[in-house]
Amino acid sequence: MDLNDEDLIKRVVDDGDQRAYAQLVRRYQSQLRFSLRQLCNGDQGLADDMAQEAFIKAYKALPAFRGDARFSTWLYRIAYNLVMSHKRKNAPDVDQEAVDRAQAQESVEEAQQLGMARDLNSAMGELSDAQRQAVHLCMQRGFSHEEAATIMKLPLGTVKSHVNRARAKLQTLLQAWREEVASG
Amino acid sequence: MVITDGVVRPAPEPFGRDEPDFDTWLSQQLQFNEPHLDNDGFCERVMAQLPPVPAKRAERRATRYQYAAVVAASAIVCWQFPLEEVLTVMAEQSISLYSLVGIGILSSMVAMTGGILAARRG
């Protein structure tokens, strides 16, 4: 039986039910790890470590979770804080080998993907980091602008501006695809 | 500038910037192209590193059960206790209520002291 996030959190906090938390981890692991891979510039090992740390930190802080925001928003905020903090501490230490490995793997996968996916990735690559994150959170993950602002620790207006600018850029870059889809 | 099949080309005619469905289309494309990452032991690694359930929580739960058991036992005793008969016998035998209460309190204190000592040894 699939319980919703609130029920699972209640079980974890009230009964110390770790199996309920395992369900939450399984529910969000793919999305969070994928998001963090983007945030970690393709370093999959680092992204997975950060995701793991985020889940552990969230578990420890769960009794203090008041439910004002969605669990996913709260979890993403913890994860983003961890990554940003890690980046600040380890700015020069980029695991280039891991990045190269990931990119090589991506290249193989990309060769099998449709042109649309490849061009979408290229177009996303044209955006600034902040624009890319804002688009990812709002348009891919479905967070509201307010939730994205909370996660990114940015003013709401700044997030809206990032999304609008990114949208305009993507609209221009991908218009050939859109025309193709529109024309059938 | 536009990107098609990995090649950057000059932009053709300006295209519907105000199209309201662009967001929907873009969201769909982004979500459709996102791979699902297999768990691949990730969840198990997280669960292995979680701290054990705090003792306090387990204690609270045990205490709650103990209180419930005491309340239930007391309720059964009260329900079954022949109060009227006891009062009648007491009146017939001229037993003072105060001495009965005193004996009750004393025996309760002895029982509690025994319980505390037993709990400390355990």
Side-chain angles (χ1 to χ4, degrees):
Chain A
M1 184 177 64
D2 269 357
L3 294 172
N4 62 30
D5 289 0
E6 288 74 25
D7 291 337
L8 289 172
I9 290 166
K10 200 168 180 316
R11 284 192 177 193
V12 176
V13 175
D14 292 349
D15 306 329
D17 184 355
Q18 291 197 333
R19 282 173 307 179
Y21 195 67
Q23 271 196 53
L24 284 170
V25 174
R26 280 194 208 96
R27 188 171 292 174
Y28 289 107
Q29 62 88 17
S30 174
Q31 290 186 0
L32 185 67
R33 286 164 67 205
F34 184 79
S35 296
L36 295 190
R37 282 179 187 188
Q38 297 195 331
L39 206 61
C40 295
N41 303 319
D43 189 339
Q44 296 181 7
L46 176 63
D48 281 6
D49 285 349
M50 292 286 115
Q52 195 171 316
E53 213 175 320
F55 276 116
I56 293 167
K57 206 170 175 184
Y59 176 81
K60 288 178 183 168
L62 212 50
F65 176 64
R66 290 169 299 173
D68 296 341
R70 284 190 291 166
F71 173 73
S72 55
T73 312
W74 186 66
L75 177 67
Y76 267 75
R77 190 177 177 182
I78 291 173
Y80 269 61
N81 282 344
L82 281 170
V83 173
M84 291 308 164
S85 166
H86 178 87
K87 279 186 172 178
R88 275 195 298 273
K89 282 182 200 161
N90 305 285
D93 300 332
V94 176
D95 186 352
Q96 197 54 48
E97 274 185 30
V99 174
D100 291 345
R101 268 200 310 275
Q103 282 173 349
Q105 197 180 345
E106 275 171 12
S107 316
V108 173
E109 286 164 2
E110 272 178 10
Q112 298 163 343
Q113 281 179 348
L114 296 168
M116 172 69 227
R118 188 178 54 214
D119 290 343
L120 183 56
N121 282 341
S122 303
M124 289 290 280
E126 294 290 319
L127 306 178
S128 71
D129 283 348
Q131 287 173 352
R132 195 165 43 245
Q133 285 167 32
V135 165
H136 174 73
L137 290 173
C138 295
M139 300 182 127
Q140 195 163 357
R141 286 285 169 265
F143 288 116
S144 67
H145 288 147
E146 287 81 3
E147 288 172 327
T150 308
I151 292 166
M152 294 174 73
K153 278 190 173 174
L154 290 175
L156 178 60
T158 309
V159 170
K160 282 183 179 173
S161 161
H162 283 321
V163 172
N164 287 336
R165 284 180 189 165
R167 182 194 289 121
K169 206 181 272 185
L170 291 172
Q171 229 167 353
T172 308
L173 291 169
L174 297 169
Q175 71 184 52
W177 277 106
R178 295 223 56 216
E179 281 169 351
E180 201 165 291
V181 170
S183 64
Chain B
M1 174 177 83
V2 295
I3 303 176
T4 323
D5 293 325
V7 181
V8 179
R9 299 191 174 97
E13 292 296 312
F15 182 72
R17 280 173 179 274
D18 299 326
E19 273 198 57
D21 62 344
F22 179 74
D23 285 4
T24 313
W25 178 81
L26 183 59
S27 292
Q28 282 169 352
Q29 293 304 323
L30 287 167
Q31 284 163 16
F32 179 75
N33 288 310
E34 178 177 334
H36 176 82
L37 302 181
D38 288 333
N39 180 44
D40 206 16
F42 177 84
C43 179
E44 287 70 24
R45 283 195 297 278
V46 171
M47 298 311 289
Q49 290 199 36
L50 293 186
V53 179
K56 272 186 183 173
R57 205 176 290 157
E59 276 173 17
R60 265 207 316 266
R61 197 166 40 189
T63 311
R64 248 182 269 148
Y65 289 138
Q66 282 169 358
Y67 278 130
V70 167
V71 169
S74 306
I76 290 168
V77 168
C78 290
W79 176 43
Q80 296 289 331
F81 192 75
L83 187 63
E84 280 182 26
E85 289 172 26
V86 170
L87 288 174
T88 315
V89 171
M90 276 172 61
E92 284 171 2
Q93 303 285 327
S94 311
I95 298 172
S96 157
L97 187 64
Y98 292 113
S99 62
L100 204 65
V101 170
I103 291 168
I105 290 172
L106 267 175
S107 52
S108 301
M109 284 178 72
V110 169
M112 277 196 296
T113 312
I116 290 166
L117 287 173
R120 285 193 176 176
R121 279 188 189 175

